[in-house]
Amino acid sequence: MPDGSSDTIRRGRKFDQVLEGAKEVFLTDGFEGASVDDIARKAGVSKATLYSYFPDKRMLFMEVAKVECRRQADQAIEKIDMGAPVDVILREAATQVLAFISSDFGQRIFRICVGESDRFPTLGAEFYQSGPALIRARLVAFFREAVERGELVIEDFDLAANQFHALCKADVLERLVFQVDKTIPESQRIKVIDGAVATFMARYGPRP
């Protein structure tokens, strides 16, 4: 499968089937190790069908990442009661962010993007747009509503979203990526989430 030879994705009846099979192979074998034969076999389609949908392996990988990131983001939003007090919403948002970055999918996709960044500089940028940038956009939308209700005081919404996202990852992402820790104990998760919400509210909470 050529890398970077086309910018066209054709959707068809077995499109989702191809994505699911590709996701399993990419997460198991990485980007470089994923072969067309293995992806087609796992997806239950012919190589011709695979090529007709995705003539470029990079495009197939990015579509897998985008679809999964969007799915997880949508599921996270559905779990949050947007009518709850702002600190409760922030706590749930922090829980969802931490759950994603500590998930097997989140870690493996991150490693693949970093590992392939030299050969495909746009890979990391595209993943950023489908992952972190998507989270930031949804945080910004929530922050704007909270400011209108007088629950937060924010001038630079993008900065606030980036800061909250960073607080939710405090030392967790690095320890997982570098395999210092295999999992994050529940006590550590609670500590990070509590700290993220308390620090954010101390900076952006309503003034007395």
Side-chain angles (χ1 to χ4, degrees), residues 95 98 183-194:
T95 299
L98 191 55
T183 60
I184 304 300
E186 185 62 21
S187 59
Q188 180 65 13
R189 289 176 182 269
I190 294 173
K191 182 178 179 180
V192 170
I193 292 168
D194 287 347

Side-chain angles (χ1 to χ4, degrees), residues 49-82:
T49 297
L50 183 59
Y51 279 124
S52 71
Y53 290 164
F54 295 96
D56 178 347
K57 187 167 74 169
R58 177 188 61 83
M59 293 169 60
L60 174 55
F61 172 77
M62 284 314 309
E63 189 67 16
V64 168
K66 289 176 183 178
V67 168
E68 186 65 16
C69 286
R70 194 174 300 117
R71 183 187 69 79
Q72 294 200 25
D74 289 341
Q75 286 184 348
I77 292 298
E78 290 176 0
K79 295 178 181 179
I80 299 176
D81 178 7
M82 300 307 290

Side-chain angles (χ1 to χ4, degrees), residues 21 25 33 46 48 66 74 76 83 86 108 116 120-121 133 138 152 156 170 200:
V25 175
S46 67
K66 289 176 183 178
D74 289 341
V86 67
R108 287 177 181 267
E116 299 295 333
F120 301 111
R138 297 192 177 191
L152 293 173
D156 190 329
F200 189 84

